[in-house]
Amino acid sequence: MKLGKVERWSLRYFLLKSWVGFWHNNIFYRKIIILNKENIPRDKHLIFTINHQNSLMDALALLYALRWKQPVFLARSDIFKKNFIARLLFFVKILPIYRIRDGFDSLKNNDAVFLKTIEVIKNGRGLALLPEGSHEGIHRLRQLKKGFARIAFQTEEANEFKLNIKIVPVGLDYDNYERFRSRLILNFGKAIPVSDFYDQYKESPVKAINSLKAHLWEKLHPLIVHIESDEFYDLINELRYIYRYRMLEQLPDSGDGKELISDQATVRILSECEKEDRSLLLPLKEKVATYLDKLKSIGISNKYVEKGRSSIVNLVFSLLALIITFPVFLYGFINNYIPFRIAVSIGNNVEDPQFISSFKFGLSRILSPLFHIIQSVIVGLLVSWPIAGIYFVSLLPAALAAYYWYEKLQEIKGCLKLCRLNRSEKSGFTEILDLHREIIRDTDEIVKRFK
């Protein structure tokens, strides 16, 4: 199998990356936050290692954080079986990595891949790996594979240990794996010089590889939300949202990364509590489960409880604003519904949940401009081409405006449900508020003790 010239800078790839990147950075995600980018060394010889939670979106996150770079990624070999797909993957700078499960004879193909990775690193393109080996939708750094360490050491060995390769840990945090217009955080850690392990490698390659793997794990897991507990995973994961506003009050302002820092602090304290006195978490686990069940039964989320009772005046003004802007929503909805619905419907029916956002992203990027062009041509033929041009330019902003309008409608509906519960079933409303207060109070006590 020819591996192509992935180590070379490509104009066609740059144009494709720019076209896809506009959608990734401005449309699909509501906000992308990049933390500690200054930790990326200016050295040419870099290996980026990323935690793997969300399939293709993990690779795209790094790709667009690096902007002008054209890093090369490694992926499992089974997706390269068809020649057309293989050529396409080589074009987008992805190389196969062969495993024993692919057949023992196939492992010899890694020799050619290894030689290609040497060229990639030497040419300063940057090599990107997902060292967990597979994706899983949990907020936890799993055990790392040895591949990145083998590549680093063998590349150095092949170049007489003169390249000074550095490994850059990259942590990703999604506030929602599947949802359109969600938030993404990339957190770059301090680079790890492979040279720190040269002496050990020369004595025992196996020990050096294991040492580097363990060292990367220690540097990578503080960059993400890492929930190690199995027994209390769901509790800790829910509490980091429920308790977030309280934790933010206790932390110094940390700018764009404040939500990640808040969640990490909550997870760290609750994990410490589990180790020292897990009995404190058992009643809290029951309360949180009851609280979430009650919210689910009336169809609202925790954020509406945190806001408290919305005044009738605020709701009236919010509804009035939606009524006034309804024509904008209707225009955006009618002109964008079909491509959006196709992407969401197909994405939601993907068997592997971690591929849902990848399908939504890819399909929406292809279908939206395609439908916009077809619709604009029809307008041009029926009305005029200048009008068609104006119409085409308006479609994407109208789609975002319609989505924003719909989100505001859902917020108002949530507030109205809470108000209706307050009026029709006072005891049920009070019970939810009391549960929320108890959860915050209990968590406060844990935070005071283990902070």
Side-chain angles (χ1 to χ4, degrees), residues 360-386:
K360 287 181 179 179
F361 173 79
L363 289 170
S364 63
R365 186 59 183 114
I366 294 170
L367 293 176
S368 287
L370 179 62
F371 272 79
H372 290 175
I373 291 171
I374 293 172
Q375 291 165 208
S376 299
V377 169
I378 293 173
V379 170
L381 292 173
L382 296 178
V383 186
S384 71
W385 292 110

Side-chain angles (χ1 to χ4, degrees), residues 75-90:
R76 66 180 195 267
S77 64
D78 58 301
I79 62 175
F80 288 78
K81 289 182 178 179
K82 295 185 178 179
N83 287 332
F84 171 76
I85 299 297
R87 287 197 298 270
L88 180 62
L89 291 171
F90 292 144

Side-chain angles (χ1 to χ4, degrees), residues 27 156 169 208 232 242 266 289-290 334 375 435 437-438 444 446:
I27 307 300
E156 284 286 12
F232 295 104
I242 296 173
T266 302
T290 303
I334 291 173
Q375 291 165 208
L435 267 173
R437 279 192 289 265
E438 287 180 27
D444 276 339
I446 292 173

Side-chain angles (χ1 to χ4, degrees), residues 84 107 199 237 292 307 359 385 393:
F84 171 76
L107 294 178
D199 291 340
N237 192 41
L292 294 176
K307 289 180 180 179
F359 272 84
W385 292 110
V393 171

Side-chain angles (χ1 to χ4, degrees), residues 149-218:
R150 286 199 183 102
I151 289 173
F153 282 123
Q154 291 174 5
T155 302
E156 284 286 12
E157 191 173 30
N159 289 273
E160 300 179 351
F161 297 96
K162 294 179 179 179
L163 290 183
N164 193 26
I165 294 172
K166 290 183 173 63
I167 295 173
V168 182
V170 188
L172 303 180
D173 181 69
Y174 300 84
D175 67 348
N176 190 294
Y177 291 124
E178 303 170 8
R179 192 179 176 190
F180 181 67
R181 300 296 289 171
S182 58
R183 186 267 297 146
L184 165 65
I185 294 179
L186 293 93
N187 193 6
F188 287 90
K190 291 185 178 180
I192 303 169
V194 178
S195 58
D196 289 353
F197 300 85
Y198 284 175
D199 291 340
Q200 187 179 28
Y201 181 79
K202 291 172 183 177
E203 291 180 7
S204 173
V206 173
K207 288 183 179 180
I209 287 171
N210 288 329
S211 294
L212 180 54
K213 185 182 74 166
H215 188 68
L216 176 62
W217 194 93
E218 291 297 332

Side-chain angles (χ1 to χ4, degrees), residues 49 57 121 135 203 206 254 270-271 274 288 360 370:
T49 50
M57 305 311 292
I121 295 172
H135 60 256
E203 291 180 7
V206 173
S254 49
L270 293 173
S271 298
E274 180 186 8
V288 169
K360 287 181 179 179
L370 179 62

Side-chain angles (χ1 to χ4, degrees), residues 7 22 51 60 81 84 143 152 252 254 273 314 363 386 401 439:
E7 74 281 3
F22 170 79
N51 64 304
L60 292 179
K81 289 182 178 179
F84 171 76
Q143 184 177 0
S254 49
C273 176
N314 286 339
L363 289 170
I439 290 168

